[in-house]
PDB file of all heavy atoms in Angstrom:
ATOM      1  N   PRO O 442      -0.986  25.022  -5.446  1.00  0.00           N
ATOM      2  CA  PRO O 442      -1.449  24.007  -4.494  1.00  0.00           C
ATOM      3  C   PRO O 442      -0.478  22.837  -4.291  1.00  0.00           C
ATOM      4  O   PRO O 442      -0.520  22.184  -3.247  1.00  0.00           O
ATOM      5  CB  PRO O 442      -2.770  23.515  -5.097  1.00  0.00           C
ATOM      6  CG  PRO O 442      -2.700  23.895  -6.541  1.00  0.00           C
ATOM      7  CD  PRO O 442      -1.883  25.134  -6.611  1.00  0.00           C
ATOM      8  N   LYS O 443       0.391  22.584  -5.284  1.00  0.00           N
ATOM      9  CA  LYS O 443       1.330  21.459  -5.167  1.00  0.00           C
ATOM     10  C   LYS O 443       2.757  21.932  -4.880  1.00  0.00           C
ATOM     11  O   LYS O 443       3.452  21.372  -4.032  1.00  0.00           O
ATOM     12  CB  LYS O 443       1.321  20.627  -6.462  1.00  0.00           C
ATOM     13  CG  LYS O 443      -0.027  19.981  -6.769  1.00  0.00           C
ATOM     14  CD  LYS O 443      -0.353  18.875  -5.789  1.00  0.00           C
ATOM     15  CE  LYS O 443      -1.707  18.247  -6.070  1.00  0.00           C
ATOM     16  NZ  LYS O 443      -1.758  17.488  -7.317  1.00  0.00           N
ATOM     17  N   LEU O 444       3.197  22.955  -5.604  1.00  0.00           N
ATOM     18  CA  LEU O 444       4.589  23.372  -5.504  1.00  0.00           C
ATOM     19  C   LEU O 444       4.849  24.361  -4.375  1.00  0.00           C
ATOM     20  O   LEU O 444       5.922  24.341  -3.767  1.00  0.00           O
ATOM     21  CB  LEU O 444       5.040  23.987  -6.839  1.00  0.00           C
ATOM     22  CG  LEU O 444       4.894  23.082  -8.070  1.00  0.00           C
ATOM     23  CD1 LEU O 444       5.332  23.816  -9.321  1.00  0.00           C
ATOM     24  CD2 LEU O 444       5.707  21.803  -7.895  1.00  0.00           C
ATOM     25  N   ARG O 445       3.885  25.218  -4.082  1.00  0.00           N
ATOM     26  CA  ARG O 445       4.069  26.221  -3.005  1.00  0.00           C
ATOM     27  C   ARG O 445       2.751  26.347  -2.233  1.00  0.00           C
ATOM     28  O   ARG O 445       2.078  27.365  -2.272  1.00  0.00           O
ATOM     29  CB  ARG O 445       4.511  27.558  -3.610  1.00  0.00           C
ATOM     30  CG  ARG O 445       5.793  27.440  -4.424  1.00  0.00           C
ATOM     31  CD  ARG O 445       6.161  28.711  -5.152  1.00  0.00           C
ATOM     32  NE  ARG O 445       6.654  29.743  -4.256  1.00  0.00           N
ATOM     33  CZ  ARG O 445       7.024  30.958  -4.659  1.00  0.00           C
ATOM     34  NH1 ARG O 445       6.937  31.275  -5.951  1.00  0.00           N
ATOM     35  NH2 ARG O 445       7.469  31.847  -3.804  1.00  0.00           N
ATOM     36  N   PRO O 446       2.394  25.291  -1.502  1.00  0.00           N
ATOM     37  CA  PRO O 446       1.038  25.182  -0.944  1.00  0.00           C
ATOM     38  C   PRO O 446       0.723  26.064   0.255  1.00  0.00           C
ATOM     39  O   PRO O 446      -0.443  26.206   0.605  1.00  0.00           O
ATOM     40  CB  PRO O 446       0.950  23.702  -0.562  1.00  0.00           C
ATOM     41  CG  PRO O 446       2.366  23.298  -0.289  1.00  0.00           C
ATOM     42  CD  PRO O 446       3.191  24.077  -1.263  1.00  0.00           C
ATOM     43  N   VAL O 447       1.715  26.648   0.926  1.00  0.00           N
ATOM     44  CA  VAL O 447       1.415  27.511   2.082  1.00  0.00           C
ATOM     45  C   VAL O 447       1.951  28.923   1.904  1.00  0.00           C
ATOM     46  O   VAL O 447       1.863  29.745   2.805  1.00  0.00           O
ATOM     47  CB  VAL O 447       1.970  26.906   3.397  1.00  0.00           C
ATOM     48  CG1 VAL O 447       1.287  25.589   3.716  1.00  0.00           C
ATOM     49  CG2 VAL O 447       3.489  26.722   3.337  1.00  0.00           C
ATOM     50  N   GLU O 448       2.494  29.226   0.725  1.00  0.00           N
ATOM     51  CA  GLU O 448       3.043  30.556   0.467  1.00  0.00           C
ATOM     52  C   GLU O 448       2.007  31.428  -0.244  1.00  0.00           C
ATOM     53  O   GLU O 448       1.232  30.944  -1.062  1.00  0.00           O
ATOM     54  CB  GLU O 448       4.299  30.459  -0.398  1.00  0.00           C
ATOM     55  CG  GLU O 448       5.431  29.679   0.246  1.00  0.00           C
ATOM     56  CD  GLU O 448       6.590  29.479  -0.701  1.00  0.00           C
ATOM     57  OE1 GLU O 448       7.254  30.472  -1.063  1.00  0.00           O
ATOM     58  OE2 GLU O 448       6.823  28.320  -1.109  1.00  0.00           O
ATOM     59  N   THR O 449       2.015  32.705   0.074  1.00  0.00           N
ATOM     60  CA  THR O 449       1.166  33.671  -0.638  1.00  0.00           C
ATOM     61  C   THR O 449       2.042  34.530  -1.539  1.00  0.00           C
ATOM     62  O   THR O 449       3.273  34.464  -1.470  1.00  0.00           O
ATOM     63  CB  THR O 449       0.398  34.580   0.340  1.00  0.00           C
ATOM     64  OG1 THR O 449       1.335  35.477   0.980  1.00  0.00           O
ATOM     65  CG2 THR O 449      -0.318  33.762   1.413  1.00  0.00           C
ATOM     66  N   VAL O 450       1.424  35.342  -2.356  1.00  0.00           N
ATOM     67  CA  VAL O 450       2.195  36.203  -3.249  1.00  0.00           C
ATOM     68  C   VAL O 450       2.913  37.304  -2.482  1.00  0.00           C
ATOM     69  O   VAL O 450       3.769  37.994  -3.043  1.00  0.00           O
ATOM     70  CB  VAL O 450       1.293  36.836  -4.333  1.00  0.00           C
ATOM     71  CG1 VAL O 450       0.734  35.782  -5.257  1.00  0.00           C
ATOM     72  CG2 VAL O 450       0.178  37.666  -3.712  1.00  0.00           C
ATOM     73  N   ILE O 451       2.563  37.481  -1.214  1.00  0.00           N
ATOM     74  CA  ILE O 451       3.245  38.476  -0.384  1.00  0.00           C
ATOM     75  C   ILE O 451       4.345  37.765   0.382  1.00  0.00           C
ATOM     76  O   ILE O 451       4.071  36.921   1.251  1.00  0.00           O
ATOM     77  CB  ILE O 451       2.265  39.164   0.577  1.00  0.00           C
ATOM     78  CG1 ILE O 451       1.118  39.802  -0.210  1.00  0.00           C
ATOM     79  CG2 ILE O 451       2.994  40.216   1.409  1.00  0.00           C
ATOM     80  CD1 ILE O 451       0.040  40.405   0.641  1.00  0.00           C
ATOM     81  N   ASP O 452       5.591  38.077   0.078  1.00  0.00           N
ATOM     82  CA  ASP O 452       6.729  37.410   0.715  1.00  0.00           C
ATOM     83  C   ASP O 452       6.639  37.549   2.230  1.00  0.00           C
ATOM     84  O   ASP O 452       6.414  38.639   2.769  1.00  0.00           O
ATOM     85  CB  ASP O 452       8.044  38.026   0.229  1.00  0.00           C
ATOM     86  CG  ASP O 452       8.323  37.714  -1.228  1.00  0.00           C
ATOM     87  OD1 ASP O 452       7.781  36.706  -1.717  1.00  0.00           O
ATOM     88  OD2 ASP O 452       9.069  38.473  -1.867  1.00  0.00           O
ATOM     89  N   GLY O 453       6.845  36.432   2.912  1.00  0.00           N
ATOM     90  CA  GLY O 453       6.854  36.449   4.377  1.00  0.00           C
ATOM     91  C   GLY O 453       5.509  36.213   5.014  1.00  0.00           C
ATOM     92  O   GLY O 453       5.413  36.105   6.227  1.00  0.00           O
ATOM     93  N   ILE O 454       4.435  36.138   4.208  1.00  0.00           N
ATOM     94  CA  ILE O 454       3.102  35.852   4.747  1.00  0.00           C
ATOM     95  C   ILE O 454       2.673  34.469   4.257  1.00  0.00           C
ATOM     96  O   ILE O 454       2.608  34.212   3.058  1.00  0.00           O
ATOM     97  CB  ILE O 454       2.073  36.920   4.339  1.00  0.00           C
ATOM     98  CG1 ILE O 454       2.482  38.280   4.912  1.00  0.00           C
ATOM     99  CG2 ILE O 454       0.678  36.538   4.833  1.00  0.00           C
ATOM    100  CD1 ILE O 454       1.493  39.399   4.640  1.00  0.00           C
ATOM    101  N   PHE O 455       2.406  33.580   5.219  1.00  0.00           N
ATOM    102  CA  PHE O 455       2.049  32.199   4.913  1.00  0.00           C
ATOM    103  C   PHE O 455       0.628  31.902   5.399  1.00  0.00           C
ATOM    104  O   PHE O 455       0.087  32.611   6.258  1.00  0.00           O
ATOM    105  CB  PHE O 455       3.036  31.236   5.588  1.00  0.00           C
ATOM    106  CG  PHE O 455       4.469  31.484   5.212  1.00  0.00           C
ATOM    107  CD1 PHE O 455       5.314  32.218   6.036  1.00  0.00           C
ATOM    108  CD2 PHE O 455       4.977  31.005   4.022  1.00  0.00           C
ATOM    109  CE1 PHE O 455       6.627  32.456   5.689  1.00  0.00           C
ATOM    110  CE2 PHE O 455       6.299  31.227   3.653  1.00  0.00           C
ATOM    111  CZ  PHE O 455       7.127  31.964   4.494  1.00  0.00           C
ATOM    112  N   ILE O 456       0.037  30.852   4.847  1.00  0.00           N
ATOM    113  CA  ILE O 456      -1.306  30.441   5.252  1.00  0.00           C
ATOM    114  C   ILE O 456      -1.277  28.968   5.624  1.00  0.00           C
ATOM    115  O   ILE O 456      -0.486  28.192   5.087  1.00  0.00           O
ATOM    116  CB  ILE O 456      -2.341  30.696   4.133  1.00  0.00           C
ATOM    117  CG1 ILE O 456      -1.884  30.062   2.811  1.00  0.00           C
ATOM    118  CG2 ILE O 456      -2.590  32.178   3.961  1.00  0.00           C
ATOM    119  CD1 ILE O 456      -2.859  30.230   1.665  1.00  0.00           C
TER     120      ILE O 456
END
Side-chain angles (χ1 to χ4, degrees):
K443 297 290 179 68
L444 303 178
R445 303 174 73 181
V447 296
E448 298 174 67
T449 70
V450 295
I451 303 175
D452 291 337
I454 298 183
F455 303 98
I456 53 178

